[in-house]
PDB file of all heavy atoms in Angstrom:
ATOM      1  N   GLU A  44      43.248   0.865 133.283  1.00 96.00           N
ATOM      2  CA  GLU A  44      42.137   0.913 134.258  1.00 96.00           C
ATOM      3  C   GLU A  44      42.593   0.481 135.651  1.00 96.00           C
ATOM      4  O   GLU A  44      41.822   0.579 136.619  1.00 96.00           O
ATOM      5  CB  GLU A  44      41.001  -0.007 133.777  1.00 96.00           C
ATOM      6  CG  GLU A  44      40.264   0.557 132.573  1.00 96.00           C
ATOM      7  CD  GLU A  44      39.581  -0.494 131.720  1.00 96.00           C
ATOM      8  OE1 GLU A  44      39.402  -1.641 132.223  1.00 96.00           O
ATOM      9  OE2 GLU A  44      39.245  -0.190 130.567  1.00 96.00           O
ATOM     10  N   VAL A  66      47.871 -16.138 133.586  1.00 96.00           N
ATOM     11  CA  VAL A  66      47.226 -14.810 133.681  1.00 96.00           C
ATOM     12  C   VAL A  66      46.326 -14.571 132.463  1.00 96.00           C
ATOM     13  O   VAL A  66      45.280 -13.943 132.575  1.00 96.00           O
ATOM     14  CB  VAL A  66      48.312 -13.707 133.794  1.00 96.00           C
ATOM     15  CG1 VAL A  66      47.710 -12.318 133.671  1.00 96.00           C
ATOM     16  CG2 VAL A  66      49.075 -13.844 135.101  1.00 96.00           C
ATOM     17  N   ARG A  74      36.166 -15.351 126.673  1.00 96.00           N
ATOM     18  CA  ARG A  74      35.621 -14.646 125.501  1.00 96.00           C
ATOM     19  C   ARG A  74      35.198 -15.632 124.412  1.00 96.00           C
ATOM     20  O   ARG A  74      34.145 -15.470 123.791  1.00 96.00           O
ATOM     21  CB  ARG A  74      36.641 -13.649 124.965  1.00 96.00           C
ATOM     22  CG  ARG A  74      36.656 -12.395 125.825  1.00 96.00           C
ATOM     23  CD  ARG A  74      37.755 -11.469 125.416  1.00 96.00           C
ATOM     24  NE  ARG A  74      37.680 -10.181 126.055  1.00 96.00           N
ATOM     25  CZ  ARG A  74      38.009  -9.903 127.303  1.00 96.00           C
ATOM     26  NH1 ARG A  74      38.379 -10.882 128.119  1.00 96.00           N
ATOM     27  NH2 ARG A  74      37.945  -8.671 127.775  1.00 96.00           N
ATOM     28  N   VAL A  75      36.026 -16.648 124.174  1.00 97.00           N
ATOM     29  CA  VAL A  75      35.715 -17.632 123.129  1.00 97.00           C
ATOM     30  C   VAL A  75      34.410 -18.364 123.444  1.00 97.00           C
ATOM     31  O   VAL A  75      33.622 -18.717 122.569  1.00 97.00           O
ATOM     32  CB  VAL A  75      36.901 -18.619 122.981  1.00 97.00           C
ATOM     33  CG1 VAL A  75      36.531 -19.862 122.226  1.00 97.00           C
ATOM     34  CG2 VAL A  75      38.077 -17.912 122.318  1.00 97.00           C
ATOM     35  N   ALA A  76      34.174 -18.582 124.738  1.00 96.00           N
ATOM     36  CA  ALA A  76      32.968 -19.314 125.160  1.00 96.00           C
ATOM     37  C   ALA A  76      31.739 -18.409 125.247  1.00 96.00           C
ATOM     38  O   ALA A  76      30.621 -18.889 125.416  1.00 96.00           O
ATOM     39  CB  ALA A  76      33.221 -19.976 126.515  1.00 96.00           C
ATOM     40  N   THR A 113      44.908 -20.674 111.026  1.00 98.00           N
ATOM     41  CA  THR A 113      45.873 -19.739 111.627  1.00 98.00           C
ATOM     42  C   THR A 113      46.530 -18.987 110.490  1.00 98.00           C
ATOM     43  O   THR A 113      47.132 -19.586 109.603  1.00 98.00           O
ATOM     44  CB  THR A 113      46.926 -20.508 112.443  1.00 98.00           C
ATOM     45  OG1 THR A 113      46.263 -21.134 113.547  1.00 98.00           O
ATOM     46  CG2 THR A 113      48.002 -19.578 112.980  1.00 98.00           C
ATOM     47  N   ARG A 126      59.138  -0.950 111.446  1.00 95.00           N
ATOM     48  CA  ARG A 126      57.717  -0.673 111.662  1.00 95.00           C
ATOM     49  C   ARG A 126      57.427  -0.178 113.070  1.00 95.00           C
ATOM     50  O   ARG A 126      56.688   0.779 113.261  1.00 95.00           O
ATOM     51  CB  ARG A 126      56.907  -1.941 111.391  1.00 95.00           C
ATOM     52  CG  ARG A 126      56.860  -2.252 109.922  1.00 95.00           C
ATOM     53  CD  ARG A 126      55.900  -3.365 109.666  1.00 95.00           C
ATOM     54  NE  ARG A 126      55.955  -3.776 108.276  1.00 95.00           N
ATOM     55  CZ  ARG A 126      55.238  -4.742 107.784  1.00 95.00           C
ATOM     56  NH1 ARG A 126      54.428  -5.428 108.565  1.00 95.00           N
ATOM     57  NH2 ARG A 126      55.329  -5.055 106.511  1.00 95.00           N
ATOM     58  N   VAL A 160      50.087   8.250 120.160  1.00 95.00           N
ATOM     59  CA  VAL A 160      51.317   8.228 120.963  1.00 95.00           C
ATOM     60  C   VAL A 160      52.177   7.025 120.570  1.00 95.00           C
ATOM     61  O   VAL A 160      51.719   6.108 119.904  1.00 95.00           O
ATOM     62  CB  VAL A 160      51.000   8.165 122.481  1.00 95.00           C
ATOM     63  CG1 VAL A 160      50.249   9.394 122.954  1.00 95.00           C
ATOM     64  CG2 VAL A 160      50.233   6.885 122.822  1.00 95.00           C
ATOM     65  N   GLU A 180      59.562 -18.318 122.190  1.00 98.00           N
ATOM     66  CA  GLU A 180      58.328 -18.865 122.777  1.00 98.00           C
ATOM     67  C   GLU A 180      57.166 -18.977 121.792  1.00 98.00           C
ATOM     68  O   GLU A 180      56.317 -19.847 121.929  1.00 98.00           O
ATOM     69  CB  GLU A 180      57.922 -18.001 123.977  1.00 98.00           C
ATOM     70  CG  GLU A 180      58.989 -18.023 125.072  1.00 98.00           C
ATOM     71  CD  GLU A 180      58.625 -17.168 126.271  1.00 98.00           C
ATOM     72  OE1 GLU A 180      57.722 -17.564 127.012  1.00 98.00           O
ATOM     73  OE2 GLU A 180      59.247 -16.098 126.448  1.00 98.00           O
ATOM     74  N   ALA A 205      47.937  -5.065 100.116  1.00 97.00           N
ATOM     75  CA  ALA A 205      48.299  -6.334  99.469  1.00 97.00           C
ATOM     76  C   ALA A 205      48.205  -7.488 100.479  1.00 97.00           C
ATOM     77  O   ALA A 205      47.760  -8.595 100.142  1.00 97.00           O
ATOM     78  CB  ALA A 205      49.703  -6.250  98.886  1.00 97.00           C
ATOM     79  N   MET A 219      35.681 -22.062  99.629  1.00 90.00           N
ATOM     80  CA  MET A 219      35.391 -22.924  98.471  1.00 90.00           C
ATOM     81  C   MET A 219      35.642 -24.381  98.821  1.00 90.00           C
ATOM     82  O   MET A 219      34.881 -25.258  98.443  1.00 90.00           O
ATOM     83  CB  MET A 219      36.269 -22.527  97.282  1.00 90.00           C
ATOM     84  CG  MET A 219      35.645 -21.396  96.509  1.00 90.00           C
ATOM     85  SD  MET A 219      36.650 -20.658  95.211  1.00 90.00           S
ATOM     86  CE  MET A 219      38.054 -21.628  95.017  1.00 90.00           C
TER      87      MET A 219
END
Side-chain angles (χ1 to χ4, degrees):
E44 288 156 16
V66 171
R74 282 173 170 76
V75 165
T113 295
R126 288 188 186 179
V160 296
E180 298 179 71
M219 275 172 9

